[in-house]
Amino acid sequence: MLVKWIRCTVIDRRGFERGQRKWAGLPGEPGFRGQGGGWSRERPEVAHIFSFWESRAFYDSFMARSHDRLAAAQSGTYKNMQVGLFDYRFDVKTGFEPRFTDADVVRVAHCTVREGRVEHFSLMQEKVWNPAMAGSPGMLRGVFGEAPGNEFLVLSMWQSAAEHGKYRAERVERLSLRAQTDADVAGLSGAVVQLDPSWTV
Protein backbone atom coordinates (compact mmCIF):
# COMPACT_ATOMS: atom_id res chain seq x y z
CA MET A 1 0.00 0.00 0.00
CA LEU A 2 1.09 3.57 -0.74
CA VAL A 3 0.27 6.41 1.68
CA LYS A 4 0.12 9.98 0.36
CA TRP A 5 0.26 12.91 2.79
CA ILE A 6 -0.51 16.40 1.52
CA ARG A 7 -0.12 19.61 3.54
CA CYS A 8 -0.92 23.10 2.35
CA THR A 9 -1.72 26.56 3.66
CA VAL A 10 -5.23 27.53 2.58
CA ILE A 11 -5.84 31.11 1.43
CA ASP A 12 -9.45 30.72 0.27
CA ARG A 13 -11.17 28.42 2.74
CA ARG A 14 -14.59 28.30 1.10
CA GLY A 15 -13.13 27.71 -2.36
CA PHE A 16 -10.81 25.03 -1.01
CA GLU A 17 -13.62 23.19 0.77
CA ARG A 18 -15.82 23.39 -2.32
CA GLY A 19 -12.98 21.93 -4.39
CA GLN A 20 -12.39 19.23 -1.79
CA ARG A 21 -15.83 17.80 -2.54
CA LYS A 22 -14.78 17.17 -6.17
CA TRP A 23 -12.54 14.35 -4.92
CA ALA A 24 -15.72 12.32 -4.42
CA GLY A 25 -14.92 10.94 -7.90
CA LEU A 26 -11.94 8.97 -6.54
CA PRO A 27 -13.67 5.68 -5.68
CA GLY A 28 -13.98 4.85 -9.38
CA GLU A 29 -10.18 4.94 -9.77
CA PRO A 30 -8.38 1.57 -10.01
CA GLY A 31 -6.33 0.87 -6.89
CA PHE A 32 -7.82 3.67 -4.78
CA ARG A 33 -8.36 2.60 -1.14
CA GLY A 34 -9.57 5.70 0.71
CA GLN A 35 -9.00 9.38 1.49
CA GLY A 36 -9.71 11.73 4.37
CA GLY A 37 -8.38 14.86 6.00
CA GLY A 38 -9.09 18.08 7.80
CA TRP A 39 -7.54 21.06 9.54
CA SER A 40 -4.51 21.22 11.80
CA ARG A 41 -5.57 21.86 15.39
CA GLU A 42 -2.40 23.88 16.07
CA ARG A 43 -2.46 25.86 12.80
CA PRO A 44 -6.07 26.22 11.63
CA GLU A 45 -5.10 27.56 8.19
CA VAL A 46 -3.18 24.37 7.33
CA ALA A 47 -5.07 21.51 5.64
CA HIS A 48 -3.88 17.89 5.74
CA ILE A 49 -5.10 15.19 3.36
CA PHE A 50 -4.25 11.48 3.54
CA SER A 51 -4.91 9.11 0.66
CA PHE A 52 -4.22 5.42 0.26
CA TRP A 53 -3.50 3.40 -2.88
CA GLU A 54 -3.00 -0.31 -3.43
CA SER A 55 0.35 0.24 -5.13
CA ARG A 56 2.67 2.81 -6.64
CA ALA A 57 1.70 1.63 -10.13
CA PHE A 58 -2.01 2.38 -9.56
CA TYR A 59 -1.13 5.76 -8.06
CA ASP A 60 1.17 6.71 -10.94
CA SER A 61 -1.54 5.75 -13.43
CA PHE A 62 -4.07 7.97 -11.61
CA MET A 63 -1.62 10.90 -11.55
CA ALA A 64 -1.06 10.56 -15.29
CA ARG A 65 -4.78 10.36 -16.14
CA SER A 66 -7.35 11.88 -13.79
CA HIS A 67 -5.51 13.86 -11.12
CA ASP A 68 -5.22 17.23 -12.84
CA ARG A 69 -8.90 17.30 -13.77
CA LEU A 70 -9.97 16.69 -10.14
CA ALA A 71 -7.35 19.08 -8.71
CA ALA A 72 -8.33 21.96 -11.01
CA ALA A 73 -11.27 22.88 -8.75
CA GLN A 74 -8.87 23.88 -5.95
CA SER A 75 -6.46 25.85 -8.07
CA GLY A 76 -5.58 29.19 -6.45
CA THR A 77 -7.12 28.33 -3.06
CA TYR A 78 -3.87 27.29 -1.32
CA LYS A 79 -0.09 27.82 -1.23
CA ASN A 80 3.03 26.01 0.04
CA MET A 81 1.84 22.52 -0.86
CA GLN A 82 4.04 19.67 0.39
CA VAL A 83 3.46 16.11 -0.74
CA GLY A 84 4.97 12.97 0.79
CA LEU A 85 4.66 9.41 -0.54
CA PHE A 86 5.33 6.58 1.89
CA ASP A 87 5.41 2.82 1.37
CA TYR A 88 3.41 0.90 3.95
CA ARG A 89 5.69 -1.02 6.36
CA PHE A 90 3.34 -2.25 9.09
CA ASP A 91 0.20 -1.53 11.10
CA VAL A 92 0.14 0.45 14.32
CA LYS A 93 -2.30 -1.74 16.24
CA THR A 94 -3.75 -4.47 14.01
CA GLY A 95 -5.92 -4.60 10.94
CA PHE A 96 -5.32 -1.16 9.48
CA GLU A 97 -7.96 0.00 7.01
CA PRO A 98 -8.02 3.45 5.39
CA ARG A 99 -11.37 4.33 7.00
CA PHE A 100 -12.04 7.72 8.57
CA THR A 101 -15.72 7.52 9.52
CA ASP A 102 -15.21 6.46 13.16
CA ALA A 103 -12.23 8.75 13.89
CA ASP A 104 -12.30 12.32 15.17
CA VAL A 105 -8.60 13.19 14.85
CA VAL A 106 -5.50 11.88 13.10
CA ARG A 107 -2.06 12.32 14.61
CA VAL A 108 0.67 12.42 12.00
CA ALA A 109 4.38 12.32 12.87
CA HIS A 110 7.04 12.78 10.20
CA CYS A 111 10.51 11.62 11.23
CA THR A 112 13.88 11.91 9.55
CA VAL A 113 16.11 9.22 11.02
CA ARG A 114 19.88 9.43 11.43
CA GLU A 115 22.18 7.31 9.25
CA GLY A 116 22.75 3.92 10.82
CA ARG A 117 19.73 4.21 13.14
CA VAL A 118 16.93 3.13 10.79
CA GLU A 119 16.84 -0.46 11.99
CA HIS A 120 16.74 0.57 15.64
CA PHE A 121 14.09 3.21 14.97
CA SER A 122 11.84 0.71 13.17
CA LEU A 123 12.33 -1.88 15.91
CA MET A 124 11.41 0.66 18.61
CA GLN A 125 8.30 1.61 16.65
CA GLU A 126 7.30 -2.05 16.66
CA LYS A 127 8.32 -2.97 20.21
CA VAL A 128 7.76 0.24 22.21
CA TRP A 129 5.48 2.72 20.44
CA ASN A 130 3.02 0.35 18.77
CA PRO A 131 2.04 -1.61 21.90
CA ALA A 132 1.70 1.63 23.89
CA MET A 133 -0.54 3.22 21.27
CA ALA A 134 -2.51 0.03 20.67
CA GLY A 135 -3.23 -0.19 24.40
CA SER A 136 -4.36 3.43 24.71
CA PRO A 137 -8.09 4.07 25.11
CA GLY A 138 -9.52 5.77 22.05
CA MET A 139 -6.70 4.79 19.65
CA LEU A 140 -8.40 3.08 16.70
CA ARG A 141 -5.65 2.10 14.21
CA GLY A 142 -2.63 3.42 12.41
CA VAL A 143 0.08 2.86 9.86
CA PHE A 144 3.87 3.13 9.75
CA GLY A 145 5.33 4.08 6.36
CA GLU A 146 8.78 4.71 4.88
CA ALA A 147 10.09 6.95 2.11
CA PRO A 148 13.57 7.17 0.53
CA GLY A 149 16.10 9.26 2.48
CA ASN A 150 15.40 7.74 5.92
CA GLU A 151 11.99 9.38 6.15
CA PHE A 152 9.16 7.79 8.09
CA LEU A 153 5.50 8.53 8.69
CA VAL A 154 3.54 7.41 11.73
CA LEU A 155 -0.16 8.00 11.27
CA SER A 156 -2.63 7.15 14.04
CA MET A 157 -6.41 7.57 14.17
CA TRP A 158 -8.16 8.46 17.42
CA GLN A 159 -11.79 8.53 18.60
CA SER A 160 -11.29 11.99 20.08
CA ALA A 161 -8.74 14.75 20.55
CA ALA A 162 -9.19 14.35 24.33
CA GLU A 163 -8.15 10.66 24.20
CA HIS A 164 -5.08 11.51 22.14
CA GLY A 165 -4.22 14.40 24.47
CA LYS A 166 -4.36 12.09 27.48
CA TYR A 167 -2.01 9.59 25.81
CA ARG A 168 0.41 12.38 24.90
CA ALA A 169 0.41 13.91 28.38
CA GLU A 170 0.75 10.64 30.27
CA ARG A 171 3.05 8.53 28.15
CA VAL A 172 4.99 10.18 25.33
CA GLU A 173 7.94 11.46 27.36
CA ARG A 174 8.47 8.15 29.11
CA LEU A 175 8.18 6.17 25.86
CA SER A 176 10.62 8.54 24.13
CA LEU A 177 13.29 7.80 26.72
CA ARG A 178 12.68 4.06 26.51
CA ALA A 179 12.85 4.06 22.70
CA GLN A 180 15.95 6.35 22.65
CA THR A 181 14.10 8.54 20.19
CA ASP A 182 16.57 11.43 20.50
CA ALA A 183 19.42 9.16 19.39
CA ASP A 184 17.45 7.89 16.37
CA VAL A 185 15.65 10.96 15.10
CA ALA A 186 17.35 13.90 13.39
CA GLY A 187 14.12 15.76 12.64
CA LEU A 188 10.53 15.44 13.78
CA SER A 189 7.45 17.38 12.71
CA GLY A 190 3.80 16.58 12.92
CA ALA A 191 0.26 17.66 13.57
CA VAL A 192 -3.00 16.69 15.16
CA VAL A 193 -5.61 16.94 12.41
CA GLN A 194 -9.29 17.54 13.16
CA LEU A 195 -11.02 15.42 10.54
CA ASP A 196 -13.73 16.96 8.40
CA PRO A 197 -16.28 14.22 7.57
CA SER A 198 -17.18 15.90 4.26
CA TRP A 199 -13.60 15.28 3.03
CA THR A 200 -13.84 11.52 3.53
CA VAL A 201 -13.96 9.57 0.27
Side-chain angles (χ1 to χ4, degrees):
M1 186 168 66
L2 186 75
V3 185
K4 182 179 187 178
W5 173 35
I6 304 163
R7 285 167 286 176
C8 60
T9 303
V10 174
I11 49 181
D12 168 8
R13 196 170 173 126
R14 276 180 65 187
F16 184 86
E17 289 190 315
R18 203 166 43 242
Q20 197 58 36
R21 288 196 280 277
K22 298 279 188 216
W23 296 98
L26 277 171
E29 294 292 333
F32 174 72
R33 299 276 308 275
Q35 179 167 291
W39 301 98
S40 164
R41 288 178 65 91
E42 302 93 344
R43 299 177 57 203
E45 76 288 357
V46 176
H48 293 260
I49 295 143
F50 309 97
S51 67
F52 300 84
W53 295 82
E54 260 168 56
S55 69
R56 183 67 191 245
F58 278 124
Y59 169 75
D60 286 343
S61 165
F62 161 71
M63 289 303 287
R65 288 178 302 103
S66 316
H67 174 269
D68 291 359
R69 178 174 47 81
L70 292 170
Q74 282 171 309
S75 178
T77 64
Y78 60 84
K79 60 181 185 179
N80 304 339
M81 179 176 276
Q82 293 169 283
V83 177
L85 295 172
F86 298 84
D87 287 312
Y88 166 88
R89 283 276 305 272
F90 49 76
D91 290 353
V92 178
K93 211 165 177 171
T94 53
F96 179 79
E97 286 173 52
R99 276 190 304 118
F100 292 86
T101 45
D102 54 351
D104 183 43
V105 297
V106 166
R107 161 69 181 161
V108 56
H110 178 221
C111 309
T112 308
V113 175
R114 298 179 207 279
E115 279 304 325
R117 300 290 300 192
V118 166
E119 217 169 292
H120 183 265
F121 175 77
S122 301
L123 187 69
M124 290 301 102
Q125 184 62 45
E126 232 171 325
K127 301 276 185 260
V128 176
W129 291 103
N130 280 13
M133 271 200 260
S136 293
M139 192 279 188
L140 299 168
R141 59 189 161 275
V143 67
F144 180 73
E146 181 176 6
N150 297 349
E151 279 189 56
F152 293 86
L153 182 78
V154 185
L155 189 150
S156 55
M157 297 183 178
W158 297 77
Q159 267 170 356
S160 72
E163 298 282 14
H164 175 259
K166 223 179 322 185
Y167 160 76
R168 198 157 62 175
E170 289 169 8
R171 311 189 69 177
V172 166
E173 208 173 314
R174 196 171 74 244
L175 292 166
S176 253
L177 287 170
R178 206 168 121 211
Q180 301 170 7
T181 303
D182 287 351
D184 287 348
V185 175
L188 172 65
S189 64
V192 177
V193 180
Q194 185 72 47
L195 293 172
D196 184 324
S198 71
W199 296 13
T200 297
V201 180

